[in-house]
Amino acid sequence: MQRINASISVDQRLAVQDVTASRAHCAMLVKQQVISAADGAAIDGGLVHIMGELQAGSFPFRAEYEDIHMNVEARLAELIGPPAGRLHTARSRNDQVATDFRLWTRQACEEAAGAVRGYQCALLDLAAAHASTIMPGFTHLQSAQPVSFAHHLLAYVEMAERDRGRFLDAATRMNECPLGAAALAGTSFDIDRHATAAALGFDRPMANSLDAVSSRDFAIEAVSAAAQCAAHLSRLAEEIVLWVSPAFGFARLSDALTTGSSIMPQKRNPDAAELVRAKTGRINGALIQLLTLMKALPLAYSKDLQEDKPAVFDAFDALELSLAAMTAMVRDLQPNRERMRQMANTGYADATDLADWLVRALGLPFREAHHATGAIVARAETLGLDLAGLSLSEMQRIEPRITAGVYAVLGAQHALASRTSYGGAAPIRVGEQIARWHARVQTEEK
């Protein structure tokens, strides 16, 4: 029974939050004259001592006390004697754990948002150095249209900003205090829940005592944000794995962020990127675990809720490491400009520009221009040429009205420069986006 019932091996991570919330509860009890000032002073002094033990790593966690709440209370009794028994007045372990868990998860979301910002800054710094570095843009992993390496990186900056927003939104939404809801129905003592909520940095106390002790949607929302963030990290991790492969050759990672082979001395394996990709599965698993845990629990508290914390802790541990690894890899990445430029000029990535020119210069309907372009590309393939190398006479065999002006839009460089619509890949637009992001980050840092 002790083995299945005890949670101290997991919830000891809530120790600081438990002591912090207990101090706020004690101060409120004294203010409301529920306990005496003398007892309150003894309790607070003991809790300060316990906090020091936690910070020093000397707190004696004991499995026989089941959870973090009983461990703290037992240690407090050892330190100050009978007054320790008054701390639990007007509260339950049910509202204690709900409060501690919200405090921890709120902090985890705020720290994740900060780590995402650091990752974005690494992407921005790399993008700023490569606003004019051409690379192939892909659809279906087939060369589609040329873009810049900076434009590609900025896509991940935008994704990360939405991830950051989800963490901050979750932290705001969960910022209501369960403390004082007691076991499930509130308490008959004259407590001030607004005071404890304010002392702990919450916006307000939770309005329904049943909801306060039994809801874990805040944890589900936080892990959902972590899962979405991990999915975005995994997409870039996958691209890094491709880019550093000899088949692509778009970039290199240094020995500091790759590993060797036990048998093949020439290998430089992108293990960090592969592990970021894999950790997404752990975070997704944590989300499914929480959703399954909560799907059929009647109000109010059930011991099933003891299983919520391992999933949340594991998800945020995995995300913290993934963000650190991705930030390091972005800062370490060494793009191969020449290789990307060569690849951007293959696969007829400027074919759309030819079709667009036929529409603009000759007034063809786009579908007709599309058909003509396809025929011109087929002719170029037969001759082993790119579009810019195909003679005007060959093009005119397919569409007689084509003029030499078409060459102004052919080739990756010209194709890239033409993408000037808002959000497009043209270097002038990319430079504006980099400047916008730098200004935004600098404003927030002030």
Side-chain angles (χ1 to χ4, degrees):
M1 184 61 192
Q2 180 174 312
R3 285 180 61 201
I4 196 170
N5 197 50
S7 61
I8 187 59
S9 63
V10 173
D11 63 27
Q12 64 181 275
R13 289 183 66 163
L14 299 176
V16 169
Q17 288 77 16
D18 195 72
V19 173
T20 300
S22 290
R23 292 190 68 195
H25 184 68
C26 175
M28 181 275 296
L29 292 178
V30 171
K31 179 184 174 186
Q32 295 299 110
Q33 299 182 354
V34 175
I35 65 174
S36 70
D39 284 342
I43 291 169
D44 192 66
L47 291 172
V48 169
H49 181 90
I50 289 172
M51 186 69 85
E53 290 181 333
L54 291 170
Q55 292 168 346
S58 60
F59 182 85
F61 295 105
R62 298 173 186 170
E64 63 266 28
Y65 291 131
E66 185 180 326
D67 57 32
I68 187 57
H69 320 298
M70 297 307 296
N71 265 265
V72 169
E73 187 172 324
R75 180 60 177 152
L76 185 63
E78 291 174 353
L79 292 170
I80 68 170
R86 300 191 182 279
L87 175 60
H88 207 56
T89 307
R91 73 175 185 183
S92 161
R93 282 189 292 176
N94 294 354
D95 62 336
Q96 264 190 280
V97 69
T99 302
D100 295 353
F101 199 20
R102 279 181 184 256
L103 288 170
W104 189 95
T105 307
R106 182 182 69 186
Q107 181 178 346
C109 284
E110 291 167 350
E111 290 175 353
V116 169
R117 179 58 94 214
Y119 166 62
Q120 288 177 295
C121 288
L123 289 167
L124 281 170
D125 288 346
L126 188 58
H130 292 279
S132 298
T133 299
I134 298 175
M135 70 175 290
F138 298 96
T139 60
H140 308 280
L141 207 56
Q142 304 294 312
S143 183
Q145 293 178 342
V147 297
S148 70
F149 188 51
H151 191 61
H152 196 103
L153 295 171
L154 287 176
Y156 286 103
V157 174
E158 296 286 344
M159 293 179 215
E161 185 63 14
R162 295 192 293 274
D163 295 330
R164 184 171 172 272
R166 276 183 279 269
F167 286 121
L168 295 176
D169 285 349
T172 298
R173 202 166 1 263
M174 73 178 68
N175 207 34
E176 296 182 332
C177 186
L179 195 58
L184 76 161
T187 178
S188 59
F189 289 96
D190 180 25
I191 63 173
D192 184 351
R193 292 190 62 211
H194 290 275
T196 47
L200 294 171
F202 289 106
D203 294 330
R204 63 191 69 86
M206 294 186 74
N208 184 282
S209 59
L210 290 168
D211 182 45
V213 300
S214 64
S215 293
R216 294 297 185 271
D217 52 344
F218 70 91
I220 293 171
E221 183 176 7
V223 175
S224 176
Q228 181 61 78
C229 182
H232 286 154
L233 296 177
S234 184
R235 293 184 75 178
L236 181 54
E238 167 67 7
E239 294 203 298
I240 289 174
V241 171
L242 293 174
W243 291 345
V244 302
S245 69
F248 274 74
F250 285 5
R252 287 172 61 89
L253 286 171
S254 72
D255 290 346
L257 287 164
T258 55
T259 63
S261 165
S262 63
I263 189 172
M264 295 169 284
Q266 82 282 8
K267 295 289 295 297
R268 180 182 281 112
N269 299 322
D271 284 4
E274 292 170 2
L275 288 166
V276 168
R277 193 173 57 186
K279 286 185 183 297
T280 305
R282 292 185 67 157
I283 298 172
N284 290 348
L287 177 58
I288 296 302
Q289 182 180 343
L290 286 170
L291 289 167
T292 306
L293 174 69
M294 296 301 301
K295 72 176 182 62
L297 288 187
L299 295 179
Y301 183 87
S302 296
K303 194 69 176 224
D304 308 52
L305 293 174
Q306 183 167 291
E307 292 297 317
D308 55 5
K309 287 167 284 297
V312 176
F313 294 159
D314 189 62
F316 276 93
D317 286 350
L319 182 68
E320 178 187 21
L321 185 53
S322 295
L323 279 165
M326 286 303 301
T327 302
M329 280 186 282
V330 169
R331 294 208 176 277
D332 185 74
L333 205 63
Q334 304 158 43
N336 185 334
R337 287 182 170 91
E338 181 57 25
R339 173 65 173 168
M340 288 194 284
R341 186 193 65 78
Q342 290 173 355
M343 292 299 292
N345 279 293
T346 64
Y348 303 98
D350 51 355
T352 304
D353 299 273
L354 171 56
D356 289 347
W357 184 89
L358 293 173
V359 171
R360 285 195 307 270
L362 305 184
L364 298 183
F366 182 79
R367 282 302 166 204
E368 185 177 337
H370 185 279
H371 178 75
T373 299
I376 292 171
V377 167
R379 182 58 180 164
E381 284 183 313
T382 298
L383 297 175
L385 300 171
D386 58 26
L387 289 178
L390 191 64
S391 70
L392 182 60
S393 61
E394 287 288 350
M395 292 190 195
Q396 289 173 337
R397 289 177 58 184
I398 296 163
E399 174 47 70
R401 290 171 289 177
I402 293 178
T403 68
V406 72
Y407 291 102
V409 302
L410 298 181
Q413 191 78 44
H414 290 133
L416 178 61
S418 72
R419 305 296 174 190
T420 55
S421 59
Y422 181 80
I428 187 171
R429 296 284 90 88
V430 172
E432 290 168 356
Q433 292 299 321
I434 291 171
R436 177 178 69 87
W437 272 108
H438 277 145
R440 182 171 180 172
V441 170
Q442 290 167 4
T443 299
E444 289 176 359
E445 288 176 348
K446 294 176 184 177

